[in-house]
Amino acid sequence: MLFDYDKNKGSNGQGIYSEHDINVILEFKVLVERTHSVENTAKLIMTRVEEGANTEITYSVREEKERSKPVIVMFTKEELEQYTRGVIEETSSKVATEVAAQTAEAVYKKMESLIEQRDHKLINQMNESMEQRRLEIPAAREEPVFSFWSRLFNRKS
């Protein structure tokens, strides 16, 4: 564990932190402000603290702020590669999600359009069929019905 709050209590019950602890916290804050990824920054800081490299490769953030100079944060090659991979994965995931959503929306709109066209054609065909039957019914009623014998001898009854 990075900070043991219960172990580092003063007489008034408040937490006591060393200069190193404060530097780690301030460095974490600065990195989060720059990278916008709390998870990657936490992993990076924990790696540095476990290796004991945090104080060696990073200037004291607190001292830099007091002097109003920009904070200089140095990365090892592995840390930079790890951070870059994290950013690439995060960005790829966001882009993939966005592209999938846009593709699904486009497919849905296209299908909706095709269904609407199909329905329009079907209604037109049904209307034409009904109109044709309306015309056939009166014509069928006008034709005289001939008996078998009258048809046989070409006589109208």
Side-chain angles (χ1 to χ4, degrees):
M1 178 178 232
L2 186 59
F3 307 110
D4 189 357
Y5 184 77
D6 292 331
K7 202 174 191 182
N8 297 325
K9 283 187 179 178
S11 58
N12 57 2
Q14 293 182 338
I16 299 174
Y17 299 98
S18 69
E19 185 74 24
H20 177 265
D21 295 342
I22 293 170
N23 289 340
V24 170
I25 293 169
L26 291 174
E27 181 181 4
F28 179 83
K29 180 182 176 219
V30 169
L31 289 174
V32 167
E33 289 171 357
R34 288 185 181 178
T35 64
H36 305 290
S37 174
V38 174
E39 186 177 335
N40 288 340
T41 303
K43 288 177 184 175
L44 177 66
I45 294 293
M46 287 305 297
T47 302
R48 286 183 178 178
V49 168
E50 287 170 1
E51 293 173 355
N54 195 42
T55 53
E56 296 172 10
I57 62 171
T58 306
Y59 292 102
S60 170
V61 175
R62 187 173 187 198
E63 289 175 12
E64 290 292 328
K65 285 203 173 213
E66 289 174 357
R67 291 187 214 144
S68 299
K69 290 183 181 178
V71 175
I72 298 173
V73 179
M74 300 174 74
F75 291 97
T76 63
K77 182 179 177 182
E78 292 81 20
E79 291 170 337
L80 186 57
E81 287 173 354
Q82 179 184 3
Y83 172 74
T84 305
R85 273 193 300 274
V87 169
I88 290 171
E89 288 172 7
E90 222 174 280
T91 305
S92 297
S93 174
K94 287 178 184 177
V95 168
T97 303
E98 189 175 314
V99 167
Q102 288 174 351
T103 303
E105 186 177 340
V107 167
Y108 176 77
K109 285 182 180 180
K110 181 67 176 175
M111 288 183 67
E112 200 172 58
S113 172
L114 291 172
I115 290 171
E116 191 175 315
Q117 289 174 3
R118 182 207 60 189
D119 290 350
H120 187 67
K121 284 181 183 179
L122 182 61
I123 289 172
N124 284 341
Q125 288 175 350
M126 288 176 65
N127 286 338
E128 288 174 8
S129 176
M130 288 175 63
E131 186 63 32
Q132 188 176 16
R133 287 193 182 174
R134 278 190 211 131
L135 295 174
E136 289 175 358
I137 291 174
R141 287 185 186 161
E142 290 175 4
E143 292 181 12
V145 178
F146 299 110
S147 68
F148 172 75
W149 294 109
S150 61
R151 282 185 281 171
L152 184 63
F153 296 109
N154 283 334
R155 291 189 190 168
K156 296 182 182 181
S157 51

